[in-house]
Amino acid sequence: MSETTELSATRLAQAIRDREVSPVEAVQAALDRIEKTNPALNAFVTVCGERALERAAAAERALDDGSRTGPLHGVPIGVKDLDPVAGVRTTRGSLVFAEDVPQETILCVEKLEQAGAIVVGKTNTPEFGFKATTDSALFGPASTPFNRAMNAGGSSGGSAAAVASGMVPLAQGSDAGGSLRVPAAFCGVFSLMPSFGRVPVPAKPNAFRRYNPMVCYAPLARTVADAALGVDLMSGAHPYDPYSYPAPEKLTDELHGDLTGLTVAYSPDLGGYPVEAEVETAVRAALPALREAGATVEEVDFRLPLPHAELTAMWRRYLSVAHAESAAISRDNGIDLLGAYAGSIDQGYLDSVRVGESLSAVDFRLEDLDRTRVLYAFEALFDRYDLVVSPVNAVAGVPNSAGRDTVGPDTVEGEAVDPFVGWSLTSPYNLIGSPAASVPVGRARNGVPVGLQVAARRRGDALVVRAAAALEARLPWAATYRDLDLDATG
């Protein structure tokens, strides 16, 4: 990396304010890094260099004339290609939308731009973000910078790989079942999935649709401070999102990492998931750092109220209903994904749509009975402990396949799992709306990073950030990015 691309978002913003680096220099350094590094990783799928440099020049003029600047003034960022940025191609990872150029920007990115951030491009995602790996017929797989034969994870995999490799210090992503935390773990970066409703999402045309499953938006970053700032900037109530609420505190005030008096439950399998021994060993090795920060850590025999496979299947049905609704909206707009366009769409996504269409309204609402059991089980655990930690993923990476076929394993430690997402321990927190983060805590033998998942009761985001900051201070991971040699693309 260059000296500029090594800087965190907050440090780069400070350097720009101090006139050590100009916005044009910062954006150009990001574009140069993308040009050198992206062929090896396939993290960015669209680069809007001309637009970014124009905005960087405007940001430079604002500094020259003394205009008020935001906390990310001049900082280059990436945006997941699932989400719109006005005037920039947004494909959703799909051949069907390969040349679509939206006229509006998603609110969470708009807030980052209002804070001065400059979008340099769109990052790779699976088609419609429907699986926990990043691969599509349109663009192919995104790789983790730590082992190019292994997938970056999904569905925010391009954003995670872009941040880990120094292309940008901050990149936006989203999470409906692990799509921030899964790639953050595989790429050795940090991401917080905030409590449901903390980051508003005005969802057109149906403001109530995102409740099932619970979708959250947040950045991926190389430091906890950067991610906390990004979530703070995205947060706040919005009249067009009925689930949004005013953030009760600034997460950037929680970076001191003092865990004195807090209780932490360690569940090595989060209630029954099979986990590879190498992954569990790496996560367990990080527990002393929490104790050093003042927390009381206890291993618990937590059990889910239904087997992990049934829980994953239930979550998949929620997602299928969301997919069916999206397909119906597209059909109303003249794009019949199950008709003329079906041959261009990933079969796994089409199957999900059909499952959603097959469920009756009553059957769908009855899913909430099991979902309530999951909620009550976790709430009983949170009655006893402030935080729950576990592995993020059950496996030490997923190999890339050719084309759009990359999915995870169908067994872990001899137990059958759903290859699309059943090898991650993330979706339960989406079902209950709790905040959960992925914190890098080591690397597997194949070089792929391992993530520790830390979660709290809903609206306990500050506790999660505090614990992540404590781990970062005692198990610093930033130096690992400097070990990456990605300029050669062979």
Side-chain angles (χ1 to χ4, degrees):
M1 298 188 203
S2 71
E3 183 177 344
T4 300
T5 56
E6 284 187 14
L7 298 177
S8 68
T10 51
R11 177 66 188 92
L12 179 56
Q14 186 62 56
I16 289 172
R17 287 192 292 272
D18 293 342
R19 309 307 291 267
E20 298 171 5
V21 179
S22 75
V24 171
E25 290 170 338
V27 168
Q28 188 61 61
L31 295 172
D32 291 345
R33 181 70 178 165
I34 292 169
E35 183 178 7
K36 287 182 179 181
T37 304
N38 197 56
L41 302 178
N42 199 25
F44 274 93
V45 296
T46 297
V47 177
C48 49
E50 183 176 346
R51 176 185 187 272
L53 286 170
E54 288 176 355
R55 296 194 171 208
E60 203 158 314
R61 290 192 296 272
L63 288 171
D64 291 337
D65 64 23
S67 298
R68 184 176 180 180
T69 59
L72 290 177
H73 189 79
V75 174
I77 64 169
V79 175
K80 185 177 181 178
D81 201 33
L82 197 62
D83 301 312
V85 172
V88 180
R89 182 179 69 153
T90 298
T91 73
R92 308 159 179 83
S94 176
L95 292 164
V96 176
F97 295 99
E99 301 303 327
D100 189 51
V101 179
Q103 301 305 308
E104 295 183 351
T105 298
I106 189 170
L107 179 63
C108 60
V109 174
E110 186 177 283
K111 289 189 170 192
L112 295 179
E113 289 185 317
Q114 289 170 352
I118 297 173
V119 176
V120 296
K122 304 302 294 297
T123 59
N124 205 348
T125 186
E127 188 164 29
F128 305 124
F130 88 101
K131 58 184 177 179
T133 47
T134 293
D135 196 353
S136 69
L138 183 57
F139 294 117
S143 299
T144 172
F146 292 88
N147 183 335
R148 294 177 226 178
M150 306 296 282
N151 199 261
S155 61
S156 306
S159 287
V163 167
S165 59
M167 299 186 209
V168 287
L170 200 72
Q172 174 264 3
S174 56
D175 193 315
S179 288
L180 286 165
R181 291 157 288 156
V182 169
F186 282 162
C187 292
V189 297
F190 175 76
S191 189
L192 165 70
M193 179 189 74
S195 293
F196 177 70
R198 186 183 186 104
V199 174
V201 187
K204 298 178 181 179
N206 180 0
F208 296 96
R209 63 178 300 209
R210 75 185 191 94
Y211 193 74
N212 293 307
M214 291 182 165
V215 182
C216 299
Y217 291 78
L220 297 106
R222 293 196 295 271
T223 70
V224 177
D226 283 0
L229 174 61
V231 174
D232 279 345
L233 293 171
M234 291 178 175
S235 297
H238 192 284
Y240 292 168
D241 180 352
Y243 304 114
S244 63
Y245 61 87
E249 74 287 287
K250 286 190 175 182
L251 298 180
T252 48
D253 292 336
E254 301 297 329
L255 301 172
H256 51 80
D258 181 4
L259 307 185
T260 301
L262 295 183
T263 55
V264 178
Y266 171 56
S267 175
D269 61 1
L270 199 61
Y273 286 84
V275 176
E276 289 180 353
E278 184 179 15
V279 172
E280 197 276 328
T281 297
V283 173
R284 183 182 294 274
L287 300 181
L290 296 172
R291 295 187 178 100
E292 291 169 12
T296 299
V297 182
E298 298 177 2
E299 185 167 342
V300 296
D301 184 21
F302 171 63
R303 295 292 96 189
L304 288 165
L306 62 164
H308 67 86
E310 291 183 21
L311 187 147
T312 299
M314 175 181 68
W315 175 84
R316 285 287 301 273
R317 288 191 290 273
Y318 278 113
L319 197 65
S320 290
V321 170
H323 290 160
E325 182 184 18
S326 294
I329 292 170
S330 292
R331 186 165 56 246
D332 289 344
N333 291 327
I335 300 175
D336 187 357
L337 299 181
L338 295 181
Y341 293 93
S344 301
I345 295 174
D346 192 299
Q347 186 61 48
Y349 181 80
L350 294 177
D351 290 344
S352 181
V353 171
R354 293 186 178 107
V355 168
E357 290 184 336
S358 71
L359 290 172
S360 72
V362 172
D363 287 341
F364 178 57
R365 292 313 306 267
L366 287 176
E367 297 281 1
D368 283 342
L369 297 179
D370 277 339
R371 185 178 182 179
T372 299
R373 293 172 62 204
V374 174
L375 171 67
Y376 287 178
F378 275 101
E379 287 301 317
L381 190 59
F382 286 128
D383 282 341
R384 297 163 50 206
Y385 298 95
D386 299 300
L387 296 163
V388 176
V389 298
S390 69
V392 173
N393 297 317
V395 296
V398 172
N400 285 322
S401 300
R404 58 183 168 185
D405 300 325
T406 301
V407 293
D410 56 13
T411 62
V412 176
E413 297 292 296
E415 289 192 44
V417 298
D418 183 333
F420 283 95
V421 73
W423 41 267
S424 76
L425 288 68
T426 52
S427 60
Y429 291 118
N430 295 82
L431 288 172
I432 66 174
S434 281
S438 177
V439 182
V441 291
R443 288 162 70 176
R445 289 187 297 271
N446 61 10
V448 175
V450 174
L452 174 150
Q453 183 169 225
V454 54
R457 178 171 266 152
R458 186 166 181 246
R459 302 201 185 192
D461 306 57
L463 293 179
V464 174
V465 168
R466 198 189 309 174
L471 288 165
E472 182 180 37
R474 291 159 180 82
L475 301 171
W477 57 78
T480 62
Y481 307 122
R482 300 190 183 95
D483 297 335
L484 297 172
D485 179 15
L486 296 167
D487 292 347
T489 60

